[in-house]
């Protein structure tokens, strides 16, 4: 009986070791999602950033180059583009390409790249509920962060570029939903930083932005580097936003979307846009 028992114990220990190895990635992921950093980790070296201060606009469909040439007569010098993500309202960007990015850069435009990925489980907009975050938010955030980096590279956006995650308004008072959303955002940020890009975050001031500020105060890791807040009060207020202390996300780390769905005409070309005041990093363009 003794040799048999010895062999049985040996097999049991071997099985336990295999199970432990298989479980390790899940434990590591859970620790990272909880804000616990591993003892040693390789990060991509920091890349140079380009900061823009001025007015920018965003519109669902990237305008043709001819329109942006005409709009050089406008007060805007920055343009936001929805370069990737499964939640984009205009997924088929007819004009946006690596060549488009290079052309508008040569004209002196600063590009703000926005990625509209999966949305919060408690997103308020009905037209975003078909792309809600799933049951593994940290892993999904990491995966979509890789998607964002790949799309950025395909459009000629170099390391050091700010990439802005667009998270539409959600019920941040719902604790379970808020935790899922935060895990996704942090996973996305972690992956974007890993590839030497700068993770930014766009949301409503009274929703996602307030949630990120509360998380910052709580000492949560892997938060956005730049805050793009929507408060349509009709006038720029970069450093007077009531849900953000003046020292938070500063200096040069803020964008205020202060008006939306307005029609403007410049150089004979009309667009429906959102208006933004910018003091933040933008894209670095490779030609």
């Amino acid at each position: 009986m003794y040799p048999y028992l010895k062999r049985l114990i040996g097999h049991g220990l071997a099985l336990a070791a295999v199970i432990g190895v298989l479980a390790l990635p899940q434990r590591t992921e859970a620790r990272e999602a909880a804000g616990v950093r591993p003892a040693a980790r390789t990060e991509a070296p920091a890349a140079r950033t380009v900061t823009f201060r001025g007015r920018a606009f965003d519109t669902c469909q990237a305008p043709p180059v001819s329109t942006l040439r005409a709009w050089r007569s406008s007060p805007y010098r920055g343009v936001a583009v929805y370069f990737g993500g499964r939640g984009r309202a205009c997924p088929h960007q007819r004009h946006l390409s690596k060549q488009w990015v290079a052309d508008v850069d040569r004209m002196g435009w600063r590009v703000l790249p926005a990625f509209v990925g999966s949305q919060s489980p408690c997103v308020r907009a009905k037209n975003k509920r078909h792309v809600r975050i799933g049951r593994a938010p940290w892993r999904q955030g990491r995966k979509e962060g890789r998607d964002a980096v790949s799309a950025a590279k395909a459009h000629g956006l170099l390391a050091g570029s700010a990439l802005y995650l667009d998270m539409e308004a959600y019920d941040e008072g719902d604790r379970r939903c808020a935790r899922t959303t935060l895990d996704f955002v942090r996973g996305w940020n972690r992956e974007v930083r890993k590839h030497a890009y700068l993770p930014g975050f766009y949301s409503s001031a009274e929703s996602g932005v307030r949630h990120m500020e509360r998380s910052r105060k709580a000492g949560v890791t892997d938060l956005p580097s730049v805050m793009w807040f929507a408060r349509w009060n009709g006038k720029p207020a970069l450093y007077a936003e009531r849900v953000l202390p003046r020292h938070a996300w500063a200096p040069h780390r803020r964008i205020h979307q202060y008006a939306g769905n307005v029609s403007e005409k410049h150089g004979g070309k009309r667009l429906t846009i959102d208006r933004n005041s910018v003091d933040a990093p933008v894209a670095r363009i490779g030609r």
Side-chain angles (χ1 to χ4, degrees):
M1 291 292 292
Y2 179 72
Y4 171 76
L5 181 60
K6 193 173 182 180
R7 286 197 300 273
L8 184 62
I9 292 172
H11 290 321
L13 291 174
L15 179 61
V18 170
I19 291 172
V21 170
L22 292 175
L24 182 59
Q26 286 79 15
R27 289 202 302 270
T28 301
E29 180 171 307
R31 284 168 58 83
E32 290 182 341
V36 180
R37 294 184 182 274
R41 209 157 53 82
T42 302
E43 293 284 359
R48 181 174 64 87
T49 60
V50 175
T51 299
F52 166 67
R53 183 158 193 170
R55 294 179 64 181
F57 73 90
D58 61 276
T59 186
C60 192
Q61 186 74 240
V65 170
S66 59
T67 297
L68 285 174
R69 186 174 293 111
W71 271 52
R72 284 188 295 180
S73 63
S74 77
Y76 302 101
R77 287 298 175 267
V79 56
V81 293
Y82 296 94
F83 75 100
R86 70 191 191 106
R88 287 183 293 179
C90 296
H92 304 295
Q93 296 283 327
R94 298 189 299 274
H95 309 293
L96 184 60
S97 65
K98 187 175 182 178
Q99 187 61 53
W100 184 96
V101 170
D103 288 345
V104 301
D105 178 61
R106 275 191 287 268
M107 280 190 271
W109 288 96
R110 295 301 193 183
V111 176
L112 288 75
F115 184 89
V116 192
S118 296
Q119 297 294 297
S120 174
C122 49
V123 63
R124 291 173 182 158
K126 290 182 180 179
N127 67 339
K128 298 295 184 185
R129 292 176 184 172
H130 67 292
V131 291
R132 286 181 286 194
I133 299 164
R135 295 182 179 180
W138 175 265
R139 196 178 319 135
Q140 189 174 354
R142 296 290 298 267
K143 190 266 181 189
E144 293 192 28
R146 289 191 293 274
D147 292 345
V149 169
S150 294
K153 290 179 178 179
H155 287 92
L157 311 180
L158 303 179
S161 295
L163 306 181
Y164 291 91
L165 178 63
D166 184 326
M167 188 66 65
E168 295 298 311
Y170 57 95
D171 183 6
E172 47 90 25
D174 180 330
R175 291 187 179 183
R176 183 175 179 180
C177 177
R179 177 55 188 264
T180 295
T181 307
L182 182 60
D183 283 351
F184 175 89
V185 172
R186 293 178 57 245
W188 193 90
N189 293 341
R190 173 75 67 89
E191 194 66 27
V192 168
R193 282 196 181 100
K194 177 182 174 181
H195 295 276
Y197 288 80
L198 195 69
F201 180 77
Y202 166 88
S203 192
S204 163
E206 295 292 345
S207 174
V209 173
R210 183 167 55 192
H211 185 195
M212 293 303 120
E213 170 56 18
R214 192 169 65 242
S215 300
R216 184 192 67 82
K217 287 181 178 177
V220 175
T221 61
D222 297 304
L223 292 180
S225 295
V226 192
M227 196 58 64
W228 185 348
F229 58 95
R231 187 181 292 284
W232 293 0
N233 56 4
K235 57 184 180 180
L238 274 174
Y239 296 98
E241 169 50 46
R242 62 175 176 263
V243 304
L244 294 175
R246 191 173 181 84
H247 66 272
W249 283 283
H252 315 303
R253 289 293 186 270
R254 292 193 186 190
I255 304 172
H256 179 197
Q257 188 182 82
Y258 60 91
N261 297 325
V262 296
S263 178
E264 291 192 28
K265 186 176 182 180
H266 300 283
K269 303 288 186 178
R270 183 172 295 279
L271 291 173
T272 298
I273 65 168
D274 299 334
R275 295 169 177 161
N276 301 274
S277 176
V278 183
D279 182 14
V282 291
R284 293 182 61 225
I285 311 300
R287 298 182 185 176

